[in-house]
Amino acid sequence: LADTTVTSDDCTDLTACGVLFLFFVPTPPPAPSQQDEDTCSDYGSRDKPGTALGRTVPDGNVLFPDIFRTDHLLFYERFKAYQDYILADCKASEVKEFTAEYLEKALEPSGWQAVWRTNVFEVLVEVVDVEYSDLKAVVQLCEPFLCESQVSTFTLECMQELLELKERRIPLQELWVVYDESGEFDQTALAVEHVRFFYECIWRTWDEEEEDDFDYFVRCVEPRLRLHYDILEHRVPSGLVADYHSYLSQCEELYRKFLNVRNNITSSDSDSEMENVSMVEGLKLYEKIEHLKQKIKLIENPLLRYVFGYQKYSGFQAKGQRPTGIKITHVVSSTVMASLLQSLIRDKLCPESCGEELEIQFHNDPLAAVNACYEGETVIICPGHYVVDGVFCIADSIEMEGYGLPDDIVIEKQGKGDNFVDCTGANIKISNLKLVQHDAVEGILNVHQGKTTLENCVLQCETTGITVRTSAELLMKNSDLYGAKGAGVEIYPGSTCTLLDNGIHHCKEGILIKNFLDEHYDIPKISMANNMIHNNEGYGVVLVKPTVASDVKDRAHVEGFRQEERPECVADELELYKQAEISEGNHDIVSELSAASAKKSQMHRKRLSELGITEADDNLMSQEMFVSIVGNQFKWNGKGSFGTFLF
């Protein structure tokens, strides 16, 4: 990393894998207590009396015996088993061999019963031998014959015939060990569970073809295992989980097709036109597979999953103008006192400039009021503490304002959910509110598209604070944001973000800027004036950018910064601020980001040159991401005012 600064203390290595990937090696889990060691971590012990595992009563047929309960193992138990007992430092091509060696030591070779489960039936069998190298058990039907199926055709004779066709060899992951109080088969049940879990949740059919520069456990098992438990404990957005499983299914299907095409080419000795067509088809499939694998790896890596974030939203549609053509003012209050109503009428509902009579709807829930809005309407929220169980999906251009001070108008998110406020409207304004989020997965406010103005608000965050997505625009003024476990404000490529007179504090990072060096992304446009960024755990401002090989020897350094043409949307606001002397923190940010901008311009011009375009529009190609940065204060941030994160 040379002279660069990485924001995570847990980043230990960088490697190239199609694109540059950063492998995340989190701090090892704390050592288990002595009680834990005695009950669940000593996988080699066989001399303890009784069993340490629980039992589960099978559903359906009450005649079936109980089975060992092994599907509730903790992260640490599985982590320790795969790292210390099963896989160690093996390569992907050695996984089956290492697993077989583990099974020889942990598995009873015969004399235990199990329930053989498939999608169609369950049947009680007895294991008479184990073929360790093939990860299969040789079984026979138990007496009396116990079977439960979705169809009635699985008789004793039918099942015996099926077993003969399979040569009585059943994959271990299809067996659930029958419970035994003696403790003799505890390790057998655990071993079978580890094999089953590994091939259901960890192993990918394409793993053996991956490069073996790193041991398989570090490269694949650990991040996938962590993701599995993050999903179980609801620490990953549900949309991202759905995408992950979709990518896996697509990749599996494409990989099967790719193998068929490759096998057909390999088995053919002719140099026919059909074979050439197959080769082209194989290359196209390979490219699609690699693209999906990169997406999968980004989700599996906890650090990159945080850095790149989740960019999908539900795509809710704007309602547009109300069919009647009337614009309604929505008033939210749990109870309306006469004095409050008089003040509302005087200040908001019948101002002197109002030339026409307003139509008013009353609500006791701010979420219901927003859902009832059409284009151009206003929601006025009276003082009170409102607890909502849902997401504010604002797709129309509306105003949502509190009547009073932010601390008097509190909207609190109830329950665990992905989002709190999602904005896609062309021009949304939120003012004079306090938003409180607890136990969240996604950030407190996401601007997906359009422009959102946030003024005089307080945001008490839980995960990420505000996220400004690609092509979206945020104007945040006189607001206070704190408590984010991620970044207070995340700014994506191609977005526009103006921060004026805000406090951003007590977050993991203050502001996270994502400047991806790629022709598909434009740099963000950022204006910062008179913000107080303090007491954040990491940096006040962090720039996320890719590492390129030439960075070390020919990185462009640009002194100072150049004031750019201001976007129309923020020009009027910025006129309120006089150009001030740049403080040390502001200067550091400008210098580094100007260098990153110049580097990106150089890469753009190189790509244009390769395409035969000799003249590039420097006014467009070399724009810096900071339109203005003046008067900001950076104090008491754990790692300093500014840092860069290279991926």
Side-chain angles (χ1 to χ4, degrees), residues 133 152 156 190 202 284 303 305 307 341 360 379 405 422 434 448-449 483 493 510 530 550 552 574 595 603 633:
S133 59
S152 59
L156 174 60
L190 280 172
I202 304 296
K284 290 181 178 179
L303 183 58
R305 184 164 71 242
V307 169
L341 188 58
I360 302 169
V379 177
L405 298 175
D422 280 345
K434 181 175 183 179
H448 294 283
Q449 60 189 38
N530 300 343
S550 58
V552 176
L574 291 175
M603 296 295 291
Q633 297 185 54

Side-chain angles (χ1 to χ4, degrees), residues 453-457 475-479 500-502 573:
T453 299
L454 196 68
E455 185 172 1
N456 198 31
C457 289
L475 171 58
M476 179 177 172
K477 300 191 298 181
N478 302 309
S479 295
L500 310 175
D501 293 298
N502 303 292
E573 296 292 343

Side-chain angles (χ1 to χ4, degrees), residues 109-403:
S110 62
W112 47 280
Q113 293 184 340
V115 176
W116 175 24
R117 287 181 179 174
T118 69
N119 294 331
V120 182
F121 62 82
E122 295 183 7
V123 64
L124 187 64
V125 297
E126 182 178 350
V127 175
V128 297
D129 195 11
V130 177
E131 296 180 353
Y132 300 105
S133 59
D134 293 329
L135 309 183
K136 290 186 177 182
V138 181
V139 304
Q140 64 183 20
L141 295 176
C142 288
E143 294 182 3
F145 172 67
L146 292 178
C147 179
E148 185 174 87
S149 67
Q150 299 175 2
V151 293
S152 59
T153 56
F154 285 96
T155 61
L156 174 60
E157 293 76 15
C158 179
M159 192 60 65
Q160 286 177 333
E161 183 178 349
L162 177 61
L163 279 176
E164 291 298 329
L165 289 174
K166 290 181 171 291
E167 299 179 343
R168 300 186 178 275
R169 298 161 69 249
I170 304 300
L172 285 172
Q173 56 260 42
E174 295 182 7
L175 298 178
W176 273 256
V177 182
V178 169
Y179 183 79
D180 188 286
E181 293 183 351
S182 69
E184 182 180 357
F185 299 116
D186 281 30
Q187 301 307 315
T188 295
L190 280 172
V192 172
E193 170 62 25
H194 290 317
V195 171
R196 174 169 43 250
F197 180 87
F198 177 79
Y199 282 100
E200 286 181 358
C201 302
I202 304 296
W203 181 254
R204 310 286 182 248
T205 54
W206 54 82
D207 279 352
E208 283 188 319
E209 297 192 6
E210 295 281 332
E211 294 186 21
D212 288 329
D213 294 337
F214 286 81
D215 66 81
Y216 182 70
F217 179 84
V218 172
R219 181 164 58 84
C220 296
V221 178
E222 182 178 359
R224 293 172 186 172
L225 185 61
R226 290 187 182 277
L227 175 61
H228 176 82
Y229 278 88
D230 283 346
I231 291 173
L232 282 182
E233 295 166 17
H234 306 289
R235 291 196 292 265
V236 182
S238 58
L240 189 59
V241 174
D243 280 357
Y244 179 64
H245 291 305
S246 175
Y247 294 152
L248 285 175
S249 299
Q250 293 176 50
C251 205
E252 289 280 1
E253 182 180 354
L254 290 173
Y255 189 70
R256 284 195 297 269
K257 292 180 180 179
F258 173 75
L259 290 179
N260 290 334
V261 171
R262 189 173 66 179
N263 292 337
N264 290 336
I265 295 175
T266 305
S267 61
S268 176
D269 296 330
S270 63
D271 189 17
S272 64
E273 182 178 349
M274 186 64 69
E275 183 177 344
N276 292 334
V277 171
S278 296
M279 290 182 67
V280 172
E281 181 185 355
L283 287 173
K284 290 181 178 179
L285 286 171
Y286 180 79
E287 289 178 357
K288 291 179 180 178
I289 291 168
E290 289 301 308
H291 184 65
L292 285 171
K293 282 162 65 175
Q294 287 184 11
K295 289 184 175 182
I296 290 169
K297 286 177 181 177
L298 288 178
I299 298 174
E300 288 175 345
N301 187 303
L303 183 58
L304 295 179
R305 184 164 71 242
Y306 160 71
V307 169
F308 284 88
Y310 179 52
Q311 301 189 50
K312 188 175 181 180
Y313 65 99
S314 58
F316 37 89
Q317 298 295 317
K319 296 178 183 177
Q321 297 288 338
R322 188 175 290 275
T324 59
I326 299 174
K327 290 185 179 179
I328 293 176
T329 299
H330 303 263
V331 176
V332 180
S333 181
S334 52
T335 58
V336 181
M337 304 297 290
S339 58
L340 174 64
L341 188 58
Q342 288 176 345
S343 299
L344 266 177
I345 293 173
R346 181 186 68 245
D347 298 336
K348 294 291 183 181
L349 303 181
C350 285
E352 296 178 0
S353 59
C354 182
E356 57 184 28
E357 192 170 359
L358 296 178
E359 184 171 330
I360 302 169
Q361 285 186 5
F362 287 89
H363 309 263
N364 58 12
D365 177 16
L367 183 58
V370 169
N371 290 338
C373 277
Y374 282 77
E375 181 77 16
E377 296 186 347
T378 300
V379 177
I380 300 172
I381 304 175
C382 297
H385 191 121
Y386 304 90
V387 179
V388 299
D389 187 5
V391 180
F392 287 93
C393 299
I394 308 176
D396 291 281
S397 296
I398 68 169
E399 289 191 21
M400 181 179 174
E401 59 177 305
Y403 181 59

Side-chain angles (χ1 to χ4, degrees), residues 32-51:
S33 64
Q34 185 61 41
Q35 180 181 1
D36 292 335
E37 288 282 352
D38 293 341
T39 58
C40 64
S41 298
D42 190 359
Y43 291 93
S45 176
R46 294 169 179 268
D47 56 0
K48 294 180 181 176
T51 178

Side-chain angles (χ1 to χ4, degrees), residues 445 447 452 454 466 468 472-476 489 496-499:
L445 188 147
V447 186
T452 295
L454 196 68
I466 299 174
V468 192
E473 180 180 347
L474 172 71
L475 171 58
M476 179 177 172
V489 179
T496 301
C497 184
T498 303
L499 305 175

Side-chain angles (χ1 to χ4, degrees), residues 587-607:
H587 177 78
D588 290 343
I589 296 172
V590 170
S591 179
E592 177 65 22
L593 293 175
S594 296
S597 177
K599 182 65 180 177
K600 179 160 186 177
S601 300
Q602 181 184 2
M603 296 295 291
H604 270 296
R605 286 195 291 270
K606 183 178 178 182
R607 292 189 185 103

